[in-house]
Amino acid sequence: MRYRLKDLVHDEHEDGTMWVGALPHGPIVQVTGAGLLVMDAMLAAEGEPRDAAEITAFLRTMYEDLPVEAEGMIAEFLRELEQLGVVEQEH
């Protein structure tokens, strides 16, 4: 499945967290850890839809030591972001 970011605001903090709020009514969620890498990849896509394989390939260009199971973990995270209203499936 391919996903794109919904309209949102985000705020990155020096402590390694990002707060993301879907517009216009939220929710506001905190993203930490590896989720930050996925959000960075989605933000870099500038509105173009991406799937877990594309995000994994993008991240491998920067981090050669991504675990083998990264694509599955990213797919699960994207489903969670969809449930929170941060991303939507491309139709």
Side-chain angles (χ1 to χ4, degrees):
M1 291 183 204
R2 293 171 60 93
Y3 297 90
R4 76 175 75 246
L5 288 174
K6 292 179 101 176
D7 290 335
L8 56 83
V9 294
H10 68 283
D11 186 27
E12 295 184 55
H13 292 258
E14 291 179 12
D15 67 356
T17 62
M18 177 188 293
W19 290 92
V20 178
L23 297 174
H25 303 295
I28 298 171
V29 296
Q30 183 182 37
V31 180
T32 60
L36 290 170
L37 300 176
V38 176
M39 285 300 300
D40 286 343
M42 292 297 291
L43 290 165
E46 298 181 344
E48 292 297 316
R50 297 288 184 254
D51 63 19
E54 292 168 314
I55 293 170
T56 302
F58 174 82
L59 293 176
R60 284 195 194 285
T61 66
M62 296 181 293
Y63 306 99
E64 295 176 7
D65 60 344
L66 281 182
V68 173
E69 63 275 3
E71 186 175 332
M73 295 165 58
I74 290 169
E76 177 62 28
F77 183 66
L78 289 170
R79 286 188 292 273
E80 291 174 18
L81 290 177
E82 181 182 25
Q83 291 173 348
L84 292 169
V86 174
V87 300
E88 60 189 356
Q89 286 186 38
E90 178 186 41
H91 297 287

